[in-house]
Amino acid sequence: MEETYDIALATEHDLDAVLDLQERNLPKNGGTLSARLSRGWFETAMAAMPVVVARRAGRLVGYLVSAPVAAFTEVSVVQAMLEAYRGASDAYIYGPICVDEIERGQGVANAMFASLRAQLPGREGILFIRCDNAASLRAHGRMGMCEVAKFYHNGTQFVVLSYVG
Ligand SMILES: CC(C)(COP(=O)(O)OP(=O)(O)OC[C@H]1O[C@@H](n2cnc3c(N)ncnc32)[C@H](O)[C@@H]1OP(=O)(O)O)[C@@H](O)C(=O)NCCC(=O)NCCS
């Protein structure tokens, strides 16, 4: 990856840009994110665990959330994943992850993951990906994550991946 990306922990000043990036990547806008999370949700997540962002020339171009399982009690697709695979007792949820469309294919996702992993050594992370999200499956396969289960939610099939930091 080029040196042009600054990878850092998110602060409250990133929230507007994170929410904007999320909005542009929701299914209603042609995107592939599975759930819309509120500003309050992101604030709570940031206080609990690392939320990593990527910036280029001062502009936010990506974010990667890590959060405790308990943060997702209201998110039905995550509950469906946990029924298929629960992971270790201290496992955390990896994601959502999103990279701005014009910055994709340059390893930004992997750079954010490397930063997250360094901050949570030895802990299991679990995530789900829609089976038809080829870009995400490729990106996360390259990161060395392993498929551990599959599940359906609202008629869509998802794969569950796991790794240990
Ligand atoms: C999934 C995602 C985070 C990957 O981020 P990334 O930084 O682009 O990851 P990579 O650089 O490793 O690229 C991964 C794959 O994206 C695809 N890709 C490359 N350039 C692309 C572009 N301009 N636009 C779309 N996809 C592209 C390629 O298939 C690439 O795999 P390849 O290098 O083996 O061909 C990003 O595509 C994204 O934010 N998607 C929208 C939100 C989403 O689906 N999040 C994940 C939900 S599980």
Side-chain angles (χ1 to χ4, degrees), residues 26-70:
L26 291 173
K28 64 174 178 151
N29 294 321
T32 50
L33 287 177
S34 294
R36 184 177 191 280
L37 302 167
S38 68
R39 175 180 288 268
W41 189 93
F42 277 104
E43 285 170 346
T44 304
M46 278 168 52
M49 287 190 69
V51 174
V52 177
V53 293
R55 302 189 189 94
R56 189 166 66 78
R59 193 178 79 89
L60 186 133
V61 298
Y63 64 85
L64 167 58
V65 179
S66 66
V69 169

Short mmCIF file of all heavy atoms in Angstrom, two decimals, residues 26-70:
data_model
loop_
_atom_site.label_atom_id
_atom_site.label_comp_id
_atom_site.label_asym_id
_atom_site.label_seq_id
_atom_site.Cartn_x
_atom_site.Cartn_y
_atom_site.Cartn_z
N LEU A 26 -24.97 2.10 2.03
CA LEU A 26 -26.14 1.29 2.41
C LEU A 26 -26.83 0.76 1.16
O LEU A 26 -26.74 1.38 0.08
CB LEU A 26 -27.10 2.15 3.23
CG LEU A 26 -26.59 2.54 4.62
CD1 LEU A 26 -27.55 3.53 5.27
CD2 LEU A 26 -26.39 1.32 5.51
N PRO A 27 -27.51 -0.36 1.28
CA PRO A 27 -28.17 -0.96 0.11
C PRO A 27 -29.10 0.02 -0.61
O PRO A 27 -29.17 0.01 -1.84
CB PRO A 27 -28.95 -2.13 0.71
CG PRO A 27 -28.16 -2.50 1.93
CD PRO A 27 -27.60 -1.22 2.47
N LYS A 28 -29.78 0.89 0.13
CA LYS A 28 -30.72 1.82 -0.54
C LYS A 28 -29.98 2.78 -1.46
O LYS A 28 -30.57 3.39 -2.34
CB LYS A 28 -31.55 2.60 0.48
CG LYS A 28 -30.73 3.51 1.36
CD LYS A 28 -31.61 4.36 2.26
CE LYS A 28 -30.71 5.21 3.14
NZ LYS A 28 -31.20 6.44 3.58
N ASN A 29 -28.66 2.93 -1.25
CA ASN A 29 -27.85 3.78 -2.13
C ASN A 29 -26.91 2.95 -3.00
O ASN A 29 -25.89 3.45 -3.50
CB ASN A 29 -27.04 4.78 -1.28
CG ASN A 29 -27.96 5.76 -0.57
OD1 ASN A 29 -28.94 6.21 -1.14
ND2 ASN A 29 -27.66 6.07 0.68
N GLY A 30 -27.24 1.66 -3.16
CA GLY A 30 -26.47 0.80 -4.04
C GLY A 30 -25.26 0.15 -3.38
O GLY A 30 -24.44 -0.47 -4.05
N GLY A 31 -25.14 0.29 -2.06
CA GLY A 31 -23.98 -0.26 -1.35
C GLY A 31 -24.21 -1.65 -0.78
O GLY A 31 -25.29 -2.23 -0.96
N THR A 32 -23.21 -2.17 -0.08
CA THR A 32 -23.26 -3.56 0.39
C THR A 32 -23.15 -3.69 1.91
O THR A 32 -22.95 -4.78 2.42
CB THR A 32 -22.12 -4.37 -0.26
OG1 THR A 32 -20.88 -3.66 -0.10
CG2 THR A 32 -22.36 -4.61 -1.73
N LEU A 33 -23.28 -2.59 2.64
CA LEU A 33 -23.28 -2.71 4.10
C LEU A 33 -24.60 -3.35 4.55
O LEU A 33 -25.64 -3.14 3.93
CB LEU A 33 -23.12 -1.33 4.75
CG LEU A 33 -21.72 -0.71 4.65
CD1 LEU A 33 -21.72 0.69 5.28
CD2 LEU A 33 -20.67 -1.59 5.34
N SER A 34 -24.54 -4.13 5.64
CA SER A 34 -25.71 -4.92 6.03
C SER A 34 -26.60 -4.22 7.06
O SER A 34 -27.75 -4.61 7.23
CB SER A 34 -25.27 -6.26 6.61
OG SER A 34 -24.66 -7.02 5.59
N ALA A 35 -26.08 -3.23 7.76
CA ALA A 35 -26.90 -2.60 8.80
C ALA A 35 -26.55 -1.12 8.92
O ALA A 35 -25.40 -0.73 8.72
CB ALA A 35 -26.67 -3.29 10.15
N ARG A 36 -27.55 -0.31 9.23
CA ARG A 36 -27.33 1.12 9.45
C ARG A 36 -27.20 1.33 10.95
O ARG A 36 -28.11 1.05 11.71
CB ARG A 36 -28.51 1.92 8.92
CG ARG A 36 -28.32 3.41 9.03
CD ARG A 36 -29.52 4.15 8.42
NE ARG A 36 -29.24 5.55 8.29
CZ ARG A 36 -29.34 6.42 9.29
NH1 ARG A 36 -29.71 6.00 10.48
NH2 ARG A 36 -29.05 7.69 9.09
N LEU A 37 -26.04 1.84 11.38
CA LEU A 37 -25.79 2.05 12.81
C LEU A 37 -25.83 3.55 13.10
O LEU A 37 -25.34 4.36 12.30
CB LEU A 37 -24.43 1.46 13.18
CG LEU A 37 -24.31 -0.05 12.87
CD1 LEU A 37 -22.88 -0.54 12.95
CD2 LEU A 37 -25.21 -0.86 13.81
N SER A 38 -26.39 3.90 14.25
CA SER A 38 -26.63 5.31 14.56
C SER A 38 -25.37 5.99 15.10
O SER A 38 -24.40 5.34 15.48
CB SER A 38 -27.73 5.41 15.62
OG SER A 38 -27.23 4.88 16.83
N ARG A 39 -25.42 7.33 15.14
CA ARG A 39 -24.31 8.09 15.73
C ARG A 39 -24.06 7.62 17.17
O ARG A 39 -22.92 7.41 17.57
CB ARG A 39 -24.65 9.58 15.71
CG ARG A 39 -23.62 10.46 16.42
CD ARG A 39 -24.04 11.91 16.35
NE ARG A 39 -23.88 12.43 15.00
CZ ARG A 39 -22.78 13.04 14.54
NH1 ARG A 39 -21.76 13.25 15.36
NH2 ARG A 39 -22.71 13.47 13.32
N GLY A 40 -25.14 7.46 17.93
CA GLY A 40 -25.00 7.02 19.32
C GLY A 40 -24.34 5.65 19.40
O GLY A 40 -23.53 5.39 20.29
N TRP A 41 -24.69 4.79 18.46
CA TRP A 41 -24.08 3.45 18.45
C TRP A 41 -22.57 3.58 18.23
O TRP A 41 -21.78 2.94 18.93
CB TRP A 41 -24.70 2.57 17.36
CG TRP A 41 -24.26 1.14 17.47
CD1 TRP A 41 -24.89 0.13 18.13
CD2 TRP A 41 -23.04 0.60 16.94
NE1 TRP A 41 -24.14 -1.01 18.04
CE2 TRP A 41 -23.00 -0.77 17.32
CE3 TRP A 41 -21.99 1.11 16.21
CZ2 TRP A 41 -21.95 -1.62 16.99
CZ3 TRP A 41 -20.92 0.26 15.88
CH2 TRP A 41 -20.92 -1.08 16.26
N PHE A 42 -22.16 4.39 17.27
CA PHE A 42 -20.72 4.55 17.01
C PHE A 42 -20.02 5.18 18.22
O PHE A 42 -18.90 4.79 18.56
CB PHE A 42 -20.50 5.42 15.76
CG PHE A 42 -20.58 4.66 14.46
CD1 PHE A 42 -21.70 4.76 13.66
CD2 PHE A 42 -19.54 3.83 14.05
CE1 PHE A 42 -21.78 4.05 12.46
CE2 PHE A 42 -19.62 3.13 12.85
CZ PHE A 42 -20.74 3.23 12.06
N GLU A 43 -20.67 6.14 18.88
CA GLU A 43 -20.05 6.77 20.05
C GLU A 43 -19.80 5.73 21.14
O GLU A 43 -18.72 5.69 21.75
CB GLU A 43 -20.95 7.90 20.58
CG GLU A 43 -20.90 9.14 19.71
CD GLU A 43 -21.97 10.17 20.07
OE1 GLU A 43 -22.92 9.83 20.82
OE2 GLU A 43 -21.87 11.30 19.58
N THR A 44 -20.79 4.87 21.36
CA THR A 44 -20.64 3.83 22.39
C THR A 44 -19.55 2.85 21.98
O THR A 44 -18.72 2.44 22.80
CB THR A 44 -21.98 3.08 22.58
OG1 THR A 44 -22.98 4.04 22.90
CG2 THR A 44 -21.89 2.06 23.70
N ALA A 45 -19.53 2.47 20.70
CA ALA A 45 -18.51 1.52 20.21
C ALA A 45 -17.12 2.11 20.40
O ALA A 45 -16.19 1.43 20.86
CB ALA A 45 -18.76 1.19 18.74
N MET A 46 -16.94 3.39 20.05
CA MET A 46 -15.63 4.03 20.16
C MET A 46 -15.15 4.08 21.60
O MET A 46 -13.95 4.00 21.87
CB MET A 46 -15.70 5.46 19.60
CG MET A 46 -15.57 5.51 18.10
SD MET A 46 -16.01 7.13 17.43
CE MET A 46 -15.01 8.21 18.42
N ALA A 47 -16.08 4.22 22.53
CA ALA A 47 -15.70 4.27 23.94
C ALA A 47 -15.31 2.89 24.46
O ALA A 47 -14.53 2.76 25.40
CB ALA A 47 -16.86 4.84 24.77
N ALA A 48 -15.86 1.84 23.83
CA ALA A 48 -15.66 0.48 24.34
C ALA A 48 -14.43 -0.21 23.75
O ALA A 48 -13.69 -0.90 24.45
CB ALA A 48 -16.90 -0.36 24.06
N MET A 49 -14.21 -0.04 22.45
CA MET A 49 -13.15 -0.77 21.75
C MET A 49 -12.62 0.08 20.59
O MET A 49 -13.25 1.05 20.20
CB MET A 49 -13.70 -2.11 21.22
CG MET A 49 -13.93 -3.13 22.34
SD MET A 49 -14.30 -4.77 21.72
CE MET A 49 -12.74 -5.26 21.03
N PRO A 50 -11.47 -0.34 20.00
CA PRO A 50 -10.90 0.47 18.91
C PRO A 50 -11.82 0.56 17.68
O PRO A 50 -12.37 -0.44 17.22
CB PRO A 50 -9.62 -0.28 18.54
CG PRO A 50 -9.30 -1.14 19.71
CD PRO A 50 -10.61 -1.48 20.36
N VAL A 51 -11.95 1.78 17.19
CA VAL A 51 -12.52 2.02 15.86
C VAL A 51 -11.39 2.67 15.07
O VAL A 51 -10.89 3.73 15.44
CB VAL A 51 -13.75 2.93 15.91
CG1 VAL A 51 -14.22 3.28 14.50
CG2 VAL A 51 -14.88 2.27 16.70
N VAL A 52 -10.96 2.00 14.00
CA VAL A 52 -9.80 2.44 13.23
C VAL A 52 -10.29 3.19 11.99
O VAL A 52 -11.28 2.78 11.37
CB VAL A 52 -8.94 1.23 12.82
CG1 VAL A 52 -7.76 1.66 11.96
CG2 VAL A 52 -8.45 0.48 14.06
N VAL A 53 -9.63 4.28 11.66
CA VAL A 53 -9.98 5.00 10.43
C VAL A 53 -8.75 5.14 9.54
O VAL A 53 -7.61 5.08 10.01
CB VAL A 53 -10.56 6.41 10.72
CG1 VAL A 53 -11.90 6.30 11.41
CG2 VAL A 53 -9.60 7.26 11.52
N ALA A 54 -9.00 5.31 8.25
CA ALA A 54 -7.94 5.62 7.28
C ALA A 54 -8.24 7.00 6.72
O ALA A 54 -9.39 7.30 6.39
CB ALA A 54 -7.93 4.57 6.16
N ARG A 55 -7.21 7.83 6.63
CA ARG A 55 -7.38 9.16 6.04
C ARG A 55 -6.37 9.34 4.93
O ARG A 55 -5.26 8.82 5.00
CB ARG A 55 -7.16 10.26 7.09
CG ARG A 55 -8.07 10.19 8.29
CD ARG A 55 -7.93 11.42 9.17
NE ARG A 55 -8.64 11.26 10.45
CZ ARG A 55 -8.07 10.83 11.56
NH1 ARG A 55 -6.79 10.55 11.58
NH2 ARG A 55 -8.79 10.69 12.66
N ARG A 56 -6.76 10.07 3.91
CA ARG A 56 -5.82 10.46 2.87
C ARG A 56 -5.96 11.96 2.66
O ARG A 56 -7.06 12.45 2.47
CB ARG A 56 -6.09 9.73 1.55
CG ARG A 56 -4.98 9.97 0.51
CD ARG A 56 -5.06 9.00 -0.64
NE ARG A 56 -6.25 9.18 -1.43
CZ ARG A 56 -6.42 10.15 -2.34
NH1 ARG A 56 -5.47 11.02 -2.56
NH2 ARG A 56 -7.55 10.24 -3.01
N ALA A 57 -4.83 12.64 2.77
CA ALA A 57 -4.81 14.11 2.68
C ALA A 57 -5.85 14.71 3.63
O ALA A 57 -6.56 15.65 3.29
CB ALA A 57 -5.07 14.54 1.24
N GLY A 58 -5.95 14.13 4.84
CA GLY A 58 -6.84 14.68 5.85
C GLY A 58 -8.29 14.29 5.71
O GLY A 58 -9.12 14.60 6.58
N ARG A 59 -8.63 13.58 4.64
CA ARG A 59 -10.03 13.18 4.39
C ARG A 59 -10.24 11.73 4.81
O ARG A 59 -9.40 10.86 4.49
CB ARG A 59 -10.35 13.33 2.90
CG ARG A 59 -11.82 13.24 2.57
CD ARG A 59 -12.02 13.46 1.07
NE ARG A 59 -11.70 12.27 0.30
CZ ARG A 59 -12.59 11.32 0.02
NH1 ARG A 59 -13.83 11.40 0.44
NH2 ARG A 59 -12.23 10.27 -0.69
N LEU A 60 -11.32 11.46 5.54
CA LEU A 60 -11.60 10.08 5.95
C LEU A 60 -12.00 9.24 4.74
O LEU A 60 -12.92 9.61 4.01
CB LEU A 60 -12.71 10.06 7.00
CG LEU A 60 -12.97 8.67 7.59
CD1 LEU A 60 -13.07 8.73 9.11
CD2 LEU A 60 -14.20 8.03 7.01
N VAL A 61 -11.28 8.12 4.54
CA VAL A 61 -11.58 7.27 3.38
C VAL A 61 -11.95 5.84 3.78
O VAL A 61 -12.28 5.03 2.91
CB VAL A 61 -10.39 7.24 2.37
CG1 VAL A 61 -10.11 8.63 1.82
CG2 VAL A 61 -9.14 6.63 3.00
N GLY A 62 -11.90 5.54 5.08
CA GLY A 62 -12.29 4.20 5.50
C GLY A 62 -12.45 4.12 7.01
O GLY A 62 -11.87 4.93 7.74
N TYR A 63 -13.26 3.16 7.44
CA TYR A 63 -13.35 2.89 8.89
C TYR A 63 -13.53 1.40 9.12
O TYR A 63 -14.05 0.68 8.26
CB TYR A 63 -14.50 3.69 9.54
CG TYR A 63 -15.88 3.34 9.08
CD1 TYR A 63 -16.59 2.26 9.65
CD2 TYR A 63 -16.51 4.06 8.07
CE1 TYR A 63 -17.87 1.94 9.24
CE2 TYR A 63 -17.79 3.75 7.64
CZ TYR A 63 -18.46 2.69 8.22
OH TYR A 63 -19.73 2.36 7.80
N LEU A 64 -13.06 0.97 10.26
CA LEU A 64 -13.19 -0.43 10.70
C LEU A 64 -13.53 -0.42 12.18
O LEU A 64 -12.76 0.08 12.99
CB LEU A 64 -11.87 -1.19 10.47
CG LEU A 64 -11.76 -2.56 11.17
CD1 LEU A 64 -12.87 -3.51 10.74
CD2 LEU A 64 -10.39 -3.18 10.87
N VAL A 65 -14.68 -0.98 12.50
CA VAL A 65 -15.17 -1.01 13.88
C VAL A 65 -14.83 -2.34 14.53
O VAL A 65 -14.95 -3.39 13.89
CB VAL A 65 -16.71 -0.82 13.91
CG1 VAL A 65 -17.23 -0.87 15.33
CG2 VAL A 65 -17.11 0.48 13.23
N SER A 66 -14.41 -2.30 15.78
CA SER A 66 -14.45 -3.51 16.61
C SER A 66 -15.36 -3.19 17.77
O SER A 66 -15.40 -2.06 18.24
CB SER A 66 -13.05 -3.90 17.10
OG SER A 66 -12.54 -2.94 18.00
N ALA A 67 -16.12 -4.18 18.21
CA ALA A 67 -17.10 -3.91 19.27
C ALA A 67 -17.42 -5.19 20.02
O ALA A 67 -17.36 -6.28 19.45
CB ALA A 67 -18.38 -3.32 18.67
N PRO A 68 -17.78 -5.06 21.30
CA PRO A 68 -18.17 -6.25 22.05
C PRO A 68 -19.45 -6.85 21.48
O PRO A 68 -20.27 -6.13 20.90
CB PRO A 68 -18.44 -5.70 23.47
CG PRO A 68 -18.07 -4.27 23.47
CD PRO A 68 -17.90 -3.82 22.06
N VAL A 69 -19.60 -8.14 21.66
CA VAL A 69 -20.81 -8.84 21.18
C VAL A 69 -22.06 -8.13 21.72
O VAL A 69 -23.06 -7.97 21.00
CB VAL A 69 -20.75 -10.31 21.64
CG1 VAL A 69 -22.08 -11.00 21.40
CG2 VAL A 69 -19.61 -11.04 20.92
N ALA A 70 -21.99 -7.66 22.95
CA ALA A 70 -23.16 -7.05 23.60
C ALA A 70 -23.63 -5.78 22.90
O ALA A 70 -24.78 -5.36 23.08
CB ALA A 70 -22.84 -6.74 25.06
#
